Amino acid sequence: QGINAEYGAKKKKKKKKKERKMFSRNLSKSRAKESDIELSTVSRPPLESVGTDRDDEILQTGTFQVAKEKHQKGGEFIKSMVFGGLDGIVTIFSVVASVAGARLQYGVVLIMGFSNLLADALAMGLGDYLSSKAEFEYITSEKAREAWEYDNYLEGERREMVEIFETRGLERADAAQMIQIFGKYKDLFLDLMMVSELGLMPPPEKDESAKDGIVTFFAFLFFGSIPLFSYLFSLISVPASTEAGFDTAFIIAILLSALSLFVLGSVKAKFTGQKWWKSGGVMLANGALAAGIAYGIGFALSELINSGK
């Protein structure tokens, strides 16, 4: 019994030490993030000039500090660019790897590579366009339905929103007061209903599905052509009938594809807040896994077919 008590005390002490270490690490990260925040001083009209009698310390303060917003610009099409580029490199390099593993001719690498490049780029671009279009139309129709309910059953919508906010921890009186105020402004109230009731972000003012599709198409086309560059330029010095394999052209294709995947992942990290090296590494590992499987299958099938001759 004494041994068990001693063991339990040591285990408890070790656990507390681990928790203190974790707390210290999280605190350091939090302070590091806080040190990157820039504060600016903002002046607002005092309470009396805005015509409200609320006793709110923030509203009564004429001058206060706010954190400067540092949101990244250009992130609206990052999904299409990343997915299009990633699929382009992985798909076409997998084709190249399978042909190299099977030791087919350079001409076959280029024929299969460029035919797949154009066909898959069109398929990816059209798929992204159609999916974005369907999502936009669905969200727009849901907002139109909520707008009809606002115009015809406003009181019912208010009660529904009060119940939703009650389930999230607000007192009924506070929720009712907030919804009563929000309900005066139709567009604002509709956006609130979309997010809180349906879990949908309000739709953009313009349908940009076509732009999503175009970005995906060109991203796939550009990044997907990178693994083919080395074979294309190799035709200057070697005939198209040259047997492919683990040769100079394939090694260059590996290096170019790996570099492109890592760069693409690093660019994605700029918009997602991830560490650039981690995001690039995940992209690189994804591509390496797919290409390795394709090379192995090409090599295995080639050996199997040749052994049967």
Side-chain angles (χ1 to χ4, degrees):
Q1 187 175 359
I3 295 174
N4 290 337
E6 186 179 352
Y7 174 76
K10 286 183 178 179
K11 191 174 180 181
K12 192 174 181 181
K13 186 177 180 182
K14 189 176 181 181
K15 185 179 179 181
K16 285 185 176 181
K17 186 177 180 182
K18 188 176 180 181
E19 288 176 350
R20 284 196 300 267
K21 189 176 180 181
M22 185 66 69
F23 174 78
S24 179
R25 187 182 303 166
N26 292 337
L27 184 61
S28 299
K29 287 182 179 179
S30 176
R31 286 174 177 170
K33 290 180 179 178
E34 289 177 2
S35 63
D36 295 334
I37 296 176
E38 285 187 36
L39 297 178
S40 60
T41 302
V42 178
S43 296
R44 289 288 185 269
L47 180 63
E48 292 76 18
S49 63
V50 296
T52 177
D53 56 357
R54 286 189 57 192
D55 184 18
D56 193 311
E57 183 180 350
I58 296 176
L59 292 178
Q60 289 179 1
T61 304
T63 303
F64 53 92
Q65 286 187 321
V66 296
K68 287 186 177 180
E69 301 286 350
K70 290 187 177 182
H71 300 297
Q72 299 292 345
K73 296 181 180 180
E76 57 270 20
F77 299 113
I78 189 66
K79 177 180 73 71
S80 298
M81 188 194 78
V82 169
F83 285 132
L86 177 61
D87 282 345
I89 297 176
V90 172
T91 300
I92 304 306
F93 184 64
S94 295
V95 171
V96 171
S98 64
V99 175
R103 295 185 295 278
L104 300 178
Q105 298 173 351
Y106 272 35
V108 177
V109 176
L110 294 174
I111 291 171
M112 292 186 64
F114 279 109
S115 60
N116 275 276
L117 177 65
L118 186 57
D120 288 344
L122 285 170
M124 285 289 298
L126 184 61
D128 195 5
Y129 164 71
L130 292 175
S131 63
S132 297
K133 182 81 172 175
E135 183 182 14
F136 177 81
E137 290 175 348
Y138 167 69
I139 296 176
T140 303
S141 66
E142 287 296 314
K143 185 171 183 178
R145 185 174 65 85
E146 293 293 341
W148 182 87
E149 291 177 356
Y150 178 93
D151 293 333
N152 294 275
Y153 301 103
L154 178 57
E155 188 57 34
E157 290 299 297
R158 283 175 173 172
R159 289 180 180 274
E160 190 175 354
M161 290 299 296
V162 169
E163 292 174 359
I164 290 174
F165 281 102
E166 272 191 288
T167 61
R168 298 188 179 184
L170 269 71
E171 295 290 339
R172 185 173 183 82
D174 291 338
Q177 183 182 19
M178 184 178 72
I179 296 304
Q180 186 71 24
I181 295 171
F182 273 70
K184 297 177 182 179
Y185 309 95
K186 182 177 179 179
D187 290 337
L188 184 61
F189 191 68
L190 288 177
D191 289 346
L192 184 64
M193 285 196 295
M194 291 286 291
V195 175
S196 301
E197 182 181 349
L198 304 177
L200 298 173
M201 293 301 295
E205 295 181 1
K206 295 189 299 181
D207 181 10
E208 297 186 331
S209 307
K211 289 183 180 180
D212 288 334
I214 291 171
V215 170
T216 299
F217 172 77
F218 282 106
F220 192 103
L221 209 61
F222 174 77
F223 287 101
S225 62
I226 291 175
L228 299 172
F229 286 160
S230 58
Y231 289 93
L232 192 62
F233 287 112
S234 293
L235 292 181
I236 299 173
S237 56
V238 298
S241 58
T242 302
E243 185 181 277
F246 211 95
D247 55 6
T248 303
F250 185 56
I251 293 173
I252 293 175
I254 292 174
L255 295 176
L256 289 175
S257 300
L259 179 62
S260 301
L261 283 169
F262 190 82
V263 169
L264 191 61
S266 300
V267 171
K268 181 177 75 83
K270 180 181 178 182
F271 297 96
T272 59
Q274 294 176 301
K275 294 179 180 178
W276 64 270
W277 56 268
K278 186 176 182 180
S279 180
V282 170
M283 288 279 198
L284 183 58
N286 188 357
L289 179 62
I293 293 173
Y295 185 89
I297 292 174
F299 179 81
L301 288 176
S302 175
E303 291 295 316
L304 184 63
I305 292 171
N306 291 331
S307 64
K309 290 183 180 179

